[in-house]
Amino acid sequence: MNGLPSVAIVIPSWNGVAHLPDCLDSIEELDYPRDRIEVVVVDNGSTDGSSALIEESYPQVHVVALDENRGFAEACNEGARRATSECVALLNNDMRVEPGWLRGLVAGYEPDAGYVCVAGVILDWDGERIDFAGGWVNFHAAAGNEHFHAPLNEALIEDGRDLPFACGGSMLIAQDVFLELGGFDPAYFAFYEDVDLGWRLWLAGYKVRLSGASRCFHRHHSTGASIPSDRQMLLLERNALWTLIKNVDDENLAPLVASALFLVVMRGVLASPSPRFDAVAEVVADLPQLLERRSDVQRRRKRSDTEIFELFGRPFAPLLETEPYVEASVAVRTLFGLDRLFTRQRATRVLVVGSGDSARLPEMARFLSDLSDVAVLAPGRSADVLEELLTESDLVLVGATTPHARTIAEKTAGLLVVDLADGTDVECPELRQRADVLLSPEDGLQALRDLVREPWRRRRGTAEVPVPEDLQQLLRHRRERRAANRPAGRFARAMSRAIPTRFEDSVRRLVGRSRLTA
């Protein structure tokens, strides 16, 4: 790309008079040529004097005044339509940006290589915690931010990595591509419109990446908090279903939508009365228009679902952590054979088996704890505890001289990594044969990050995820309940009886028991 592109910074705003000065003042300090920037505030029918404030204090800002609150999605679209620049940078009104924010986004913009959309890093207002540094999507199109609200740690920010979507609060996109694809789906109003756009970009042959150098600061949900909680839940549930129905191909549509609907109902049952049922009703009522929008999305398809699913990161992340819901998630996933669709899952549960003579394992455990959920098993713990942790972990890290070598070789379900950093070799032939990865003394912590991010690249044998995330949580629930000697509730027992034989067989095979106990 020759030279810096012109950029329209589009800021949707509804009653944002308390936030706009910080936002617009920070834009004035941008390290970017002034003649390459236009600033557009789309006022969503505000009644707090926002437009008057801008006209009086920021005359260089172009205000697009809408007669009513049309939602985040349509406000962004209207701003993009009014813009005259090559690129559109979307920014929430409750943000302030670093001087290098825009240059950072532009540095990742590489349309000739397909990267027409770039996400920026979003921190909390004090710059101490992460709001967005990457995202994940699960199989029913719900999404989340990786490391959300974790303390700022530069090791968690991977500049240039591919993302399934860019957060709409801080992103850059080619204006012509944004408008060609229809922008954000205005029917969404708010929530998940950026997930849907990211999916459509990838389907249409484009790419999305993260710019680690682009930083802004967010008063999290200060605007979103104005939406009543029941309405927020309806939008989240409905928009996830819309995203799924629009974007997956014909072969995968029925099993994924059926699975998603089962789980919406399950969440509703567990939290009744619930606007989740209203979300399903709105999806059904909107089906004719939704299928028209789906037809437009599918017409632009240049990538298969398999290619898109590989970006999800945590396809089996359950939205509720209660045991009945996790049981339902596992049962539905197994019933519809979703394991064949989603074969790539980042390591979400890591077990580090301690060894008294290893100096590097504790350091590795600390490093991994920023990337994943880590359990550390001290030497001398019972074999039963070790076996249960081995079956519920999708990455197991051990020292070469661990006294539990044979048990680990036999019972590990996930990726098995053996650390040779102390210069020792693997003495147990079963452990050496079973190990997927041998870490040499020269392998640094970056090698561990790669294993957590993409364990499938080193996994041998089955192509399926060995321990899906929902199964990890279910096994943990049952282990903790047995340890506390708590009986299963009536609902959990009923769910256990309803779980298909195929599911029970797979869990028995992992756990090594002849019968599952509720």
Side-chain angles (χ1 to χ4, degrees):
M1 183 177 62
N2 296 322
L4 294 172
S6 58
V7 180
I9 301 174
V10 173
I11 305 168
S13 182
W14 179 69
N15 287 341
V17 71
H19 307 305
L20 284 168
D22 285 330
C23 180
L24 296 174
D25 288 346
S26 68
I27 289 174
E28 287 295 307
E29 301 300 320
L30 283 174
D31 176 22
Y32 205 85
R34 308 309 302 169
D35 61 351
R36 309 296 288 166
I37 297 176
E38 57 178 319
V39 182
V40 180
V41 172
V42 182
D43 187 82
N44 243 334
S46 296
T47 58
D48 64 348
S50 296
S51 294
L53 167 74
I54 296 172
E55 291 173 4
E56 179 179 344
S57 302
Y58 304 94
Q60 74 281 12
V61 174
H62 177 51
V63 177
V64 177
L66 304 181
D67 55 357
E68 61 180 353
N69 186 358
R70 301 183 192 174
F72 176 84
E74 178 57 20
C76 290
N77 293 349
E78 187 62 30
R81 285 191 288 265
R82 301 290 186 96
T84 61
S85 299
E86 176 184 344
C87 296
V88 173
L90 300 176
L91 185 67
N92 279 3
N93 68 352
D94 54 355
M95 303 274 202
R96 59 182 173 86
V97 300
E98 286 189 344
W101 168 74
L102 188 53
R103 278 191 182 269
L105 289 175
V106 167
Y109 178 67
E110 195 176 354
D112 290 344
Y115 289 102
V116 299
C117 183
V118 184
V121 174
I122 304 175
L123 306 177
D124 70 356
W125 194 250
D126 298 321
E128 297 175 351
R129 294 184 178 274
I130 294 172
D131 268 15
F132 183 87
W136 54 266
V137 185
N138 71 10
F139 74 79
H140 43 98
N145 299 347
E146 288 188 347
H147 314 301
F148 177 69
H149 214 53
L152 176 60
N153 179 347
E154 295 298 331
L156 303 180
I157 299 172
E158 299 178 55
D159 182 54
R161 77 177 180 93
D162 288 351
L163 299 179
F165 63 92
C167 176
S170 175
M171 60 174 275
L172 180 87
I173 188 168
Q175 186 210 31
D176 59 345
V177 173
F178 185 71
L179 296 180
E180 174 200 347
L181 296 183
F184 290 134
D185 188 332
Y188 281 48
F189 189 81
F191 303 126
Y192 288 163
E193 67 288 315
D194 46 7
V195 179
D196 170 63
L197 175 65
W199 201 323
R200 288 187 282 125
L201 282 165
W202 281 99
L203 278 178
Y206 301 108
K207 299 179 182 179
V208 184
R209 65 166 37 149
L210 177 71
S211 170
S214 176
R215 306 287 173 100
C216 64
F217 308 91
H218 187 204
R219 297 187 194 275
H220 190 67
H221 288 327
S222 58
T223 302
S226 62
I227 302 175
S229 59
D230 282 0
R231 178 65 177 167
Q232 286 190 36
M233 185 179 294
L234 184 148
L235 292 172
L236 288 166
E237 297 285 3
R238 183 199 67 186
N239 293 355
L241 288 170
W242 279 356
T243 299
L244 194 63
I245 292 170
K246 287 168 54 182
N247 289 297
V248 297
D249 66 18
D250 293 341
E251 179 184 2
N252 297 322
L253 183 63
L256 285 173
V257 172
S259 303
L261 289 172
F262 268 112
L263 293 176
V264 169
V265 171
M266 185 65 184
R267 292 193 292 275
V269 168
L270 294 173
S272 185
S274 171
R276 291 186 170 101
F277 295 120
D278 296 334
V280 177
E282 288 201 15
V283 169
V284 173
D286 188 59
L287 271 177
Q289 295 81 10
L290 184 59
L291 292 175
E292 287 183 12
R293 304 202 299 273
R294 168 183 167 78
S295 177
D296 181 64
V297 171
Q298 297 302 320
R299 178 174 57 83
R300 303 174 189 275
R301 177 182 288 274
K302 290 186 173 62
R303 288 192 172 97
S304 68
D305 280 354
T306 299
E307 293 174 278
I308 310 300
F309 292 164
E310 289 174 354
L311 298 165
F312 278 21
R314 294 176 60 192
F316 303 120
L319 293 191
L320 300 180
E321 295 185 357
T322 61
E323 186 173 355
Y325 182 78
V326 175
E327 283 186 321
S329 176
V330 174
V332 166
R333 171 176 55 76
T334 306
L335 179 64
F336 287 100
L338 302 186
D339 301 74
R340 67 177 177 80
L341 301 182
F342 301 92
T343 59
R344 295 187 176 184
Q345 171 184 284
R346 60 165 297 167
T348 55
R349 175 73 166 166
V350 176
L351 172 64
V352 179
V353 181
S355 178
D357 57 355
S358 173
R360 195 161 78 151
L361 283 177
E363 178 188 3
M364 289 179 165
R366 285 191 294 272
F367 176 79
L368 289 169
S369 66
D370 285 330
L371 305 174
S372 186
D373 183 15
V374 176
V376 178
L377 189 70
R381 293 298 299 273
S382 72
D384 288 344
V385 173
L386 173 61
E387 289 185 16
E388 291 190 319
L389 290 173
L390 289 171
T391 59
E392 69 186 52
S393 302
D394 50 3
L395 192 154
V396 176
L397 174 63
V398 302
T401 59
T402 175
H404 308 290
R406 286 187 173 82
T407 300
I408 291 170
E410 179 184 353
K411 297 295 184 180
T412 296
L415 189 78
L416 179 55
V417 181
V418 180
D419 182 33
L420 307 178
D422 295 324
T424 54
D425 198 3
V426 181
E427 298 176 356
C428 174
E430 293 90 346
L431 185 63
R432 173 174 283 279
Q433 182 178 6
R434 171 61 183 83
D436 296 292
V437 179
L438 298 176
L439 287 179
S440 71
E442 291 74 31
D443 289 321
L445 296 178
Q446 179 62 40
L448 283 180
R449 180 210 293 275
D450 295 341
L451 291 174
V452 169
R453 179 69 63 191
E454 299 180 334
W456 60 84
R457 295 193 182 279
R458 306 296 294 274
R459 190 173 67 230
R460 296 181 294 177
T462 177
E464 294 183 354
V465 175
V467 195
E469 188 173 354
D470 53 1
L471 180 58
Q472 295 171 23
Q473 292 201 24
L474 176 59
L475 294 174
R476 188 190 313 183
H477 274 303
R478 293 186 173 183
R479 170 173 53 81
E480 292 174 348
R481 179 157 42 77
R482 284 194 302 273
N485 199 27
R486 296 194 312 269
R490 182 176 63 181
F491 192 80
R493 291 196 299 272
M495 280 301 302
S496 293
R497 289 194 296 272
I499 291 175
T501 302
R502 178 181 165 198
F503 159 69
E504 185 162 322
D505 287 344
S506 67
V507 178
R508 275 208 309 268
R509 187 170 62 252
L510 275 173
V511 181
R513 297 194 185 93
S514 60
R515 176 70 187 164
L516 290 179
T517 56

